[in-house]
Amino acid sequence: MNSQQKVLDHLLKADGAYLSGQKLAEILGVSRNAIWKAIQALKDQGYQISSTPNKGYRLESLSDDLDPQQIDYFLKQAVGPFDIAYEIRPSMSSTNDLMKEALAHSQADYLLYATQQQTKGRGRRGKAYYCDLAEGLYFTLALRPQKVKLQDVPMYTILAATAVVETIESYVNDQCEIKWVNDIFYHKRKVTGILSEMISSIEAADTSAVMIGIGINLAGSFENSDPAVQDVAGTIFGQETPENFNINQFLAQIVSRILTYHANFDDKAFFPLYKDRLMGVGKEVSYQYNGDWQSGVIVGVNPEGQLIIAKANGKKEILYGQDIHFSSQQFRDL
């Protein structure tokens, strides 16, 4: 960390208390002028820092932008010391695509790519993910499980969906719903999409990483989007995020929940809430499977996270894999 980052770290830890320039200089082993320059640089980034004679500096409010240091601070508050590599930019093409490139070179156990504007986002089955929103959050978290099987990857989508739902519901008054397997709805509108991918090592013949890509519609309007998006898409907070909303703390809460569930993956503690929030249980839905449209009644999910459908002939069908597609529009009316 440079002096600027170290100053911010101490101001965050002070939790609203004053820190004198002299004390900061002594702690960091730099001059008071270096502290003053660091403070000015932080102010330029959007941090509101007050200075009072004989008291020092106090952090009044945080920057509204994504900031790896804030994310790291809030993440460590939730899960303790954690070694995670960050890549935060104002705009990215696709966080999943960039993460794939990073994993080919990085040895870090955990990596996080995050942005508020994604220009080439991807959803399931290669479909584009709509990202032209005033306030969005798009990120990919890469984990390196010691042991993971191909059939476990959909369970990581379920794990992530649960973590996102829990976090969103800590900010709003109403419950979220989950459209199997990877979409989160709020007030009957899609607000989140999740795409989990497995990265395999050919040399070792195993899985080297699991990438969890998440796109969240925080606030804004879809008036300039195509009609299909307008019919389904929604936001968590309406037109604007609350005044006291901190996107870094929000992201850290999601990541900390994912990491906690990941560390205790075999317990499947995330699974009960996922089942409870599953949309369409007991309702007839249509879906596309291998290019053919079919219909059936949603029964629930089995322990492997696969969807159980009751067909008209009385038989039950287990659905899983990338070849299953449910139109989101029909879930708005369930």
Side-chain angles (χ1 to χ4, degrees):
M1 278 192 284
N2 57 33
S3 294
Q4 179 182 319
Q5 293 171 321
K6 290 176 181 178
V7 168
L8 176 58
D9 191 53
H10 283 284
L11 289 173
L12 286 166
K13 291 176 181 176
D15 196 24
Y18 281 98
L19 286 177
S20 72
Q22 182 61 42
K23 184 175 181 178
L24 283 169
E26 292 172 356
I27 292 172
L28 302 184
V30 297
S31 67
R32 291 190 64 178
N33 187 54
I35 298 297
W36 181 85
K37 288 182 178 179
I39 294 292
Q40 299 311 306
L42 290 171
K43 287 182 176 179
D44 290 341
Q45 290 181 27
Y47 290 93
Q48 293 186 24
I49 302 171
S50 62
S51 57
T52 303
N54 301 319
K55 286 188 176 181
Y57 301 106
R58 182 171 69 180
L59 183 62
E60 302 290 348
S61 67
L62 300 171
S63 169
D64 293 332
D65 297 329
L66 280 173
D67 176 0
Q69 195 161 348
Q70 280 192 60
I71 298 168
D72 192 63
Y73 172 78
F74 289 120
L75 188 56
K76 287 178 178 176
Q77 277 193 324
V79 296
F82 215 86
D83 186 18
I84 184 168
Y86 299 92
E87 182 69 30
I88 310 297
R89 303 178 196 168
S91 177
M92 292 186 185
S93 54
S94 163
T95 57
N96 268 30
D97 289 347
L98 292 171
M99 181 64 79
K100 284 182 181 179
E101 296 175 10
L103 287 170
H105 308 288
S106 174
Q107 299 300 315
D109 288 335
Y110 303 94
L111 293 90
L112 177 66
Y113 273 55
T115 185
Q116 288 183 262
Q117 184 179 49
Q118 191 173 228
T119 58
K120 295 181 180 179
R122 287 189 295 112
R124 290 179 70 236
R125 305 165 77 229
K127 296 178 67 175
Y129 185 86
Y130 179 82
C131 304
D132 188 17
L133 193 65
E135 296 187 66
L137 173 60
Y138 314 100
F139 65 97
T140 298
L141 176 66
L143 316 167
R144 297 187 189 274
Q146 291 185 349
K147 294 181 181 180
V148 66
K149 302 174 183 177
L150 179 61
Q151 57 264 35
D152 288 334
V153 177
M155 194 61 77
Y156 270 91
T157 299
I158 289 173
L159 177 159
T162 303
V164 173
V165 165
E166 289 177 322
T167 301
I168 292 175
E169 290 184 352
S170 70
Y171 285 80
V172 297
N173 295 323
D174 300 316
Q175 290 187 349
C176 295
E177 297 177 287
I178 303 171
K179 190 199 86 175
W180 185 87
V181 60
N182 65 324
D183 292 337
I184 295 170
F185 280 59
Y186 183 63
H187 290 167
K188 298 297 181 181
R189 292 277 183 171
K190 179 181 173 180
V191 297
T192 299
I194 301 171
L195 177 63
S196 296
E197 299 183 79
M198 182 175 70
I199 306 300
S200 299
S201 169
I202 298 176
E203 294 80 3
D206 64 4
T207 300
S208 60
V210 172
M211 299 190 321
I212 304 171
I214 301 175
I216 303 177
N217 301 333
L218 296 173
S221 170
F222 296 94
E223 62 182 1
N224 294 322
S225 61
D226 64 69
V229 171
Q230 293 184 34
D231 284 346
V232 176
T235 67
I236 298 170
F237 299 114
Q239 294 295 314
E240 297 180 352
T241 55
E243 187 175 345
N244 61 350
F245 177 75
N246 185 304
I247 193 170
N248 297 290
Q249 188 171 25
F250 180 80
L251 175 54
Q253 285 177 268
I254 295 173
V255 172
S256 66
R257 285 184 164 98
I258 291 175
L259 294 178
T260 300
Y261 284 140
H262 166 66
N264 304 280
F265 183 79
D266 291 339
D267 296 341
K268 303 291 190 297
F270 50 85
F271 202 47
L273 186 139
Y274 185 92
K275 291 194 295 184
D276 182 68
R277 298 292 194 276
L278 186 66
M279 297 183 78
V281 175
K283 304 291 186 179
E284 184 171 4
V285 294
S286 59
Y287 57 95
Q288 192 175 32
Y289 180 46
N290 288 333
D292 295 326
W293 281 99
Q294 303 180 34
S295 64
V297 175
I298 294 179
V299 176
V301 289
N302 66 16
E304 287 72 43
Q306 301 161 342
L307 191 67
I308 306 170
I309 292 284
K311 306 293 287 185
N313 60 11
K315 293 183 178 180
K316 290 182 179 178
E317 187 173 45
I318 305 299
L319 302 183
Y320 60 94
Q322 293 289 322
D323 294 328
I324 310 297
H325 170 65
F326 290 86
S327 68
S328 294
Q329 178 62 49
Q330 64 184 316
F331 283 84
R332 285 210 57 214
D333 302 322
L334 293 180

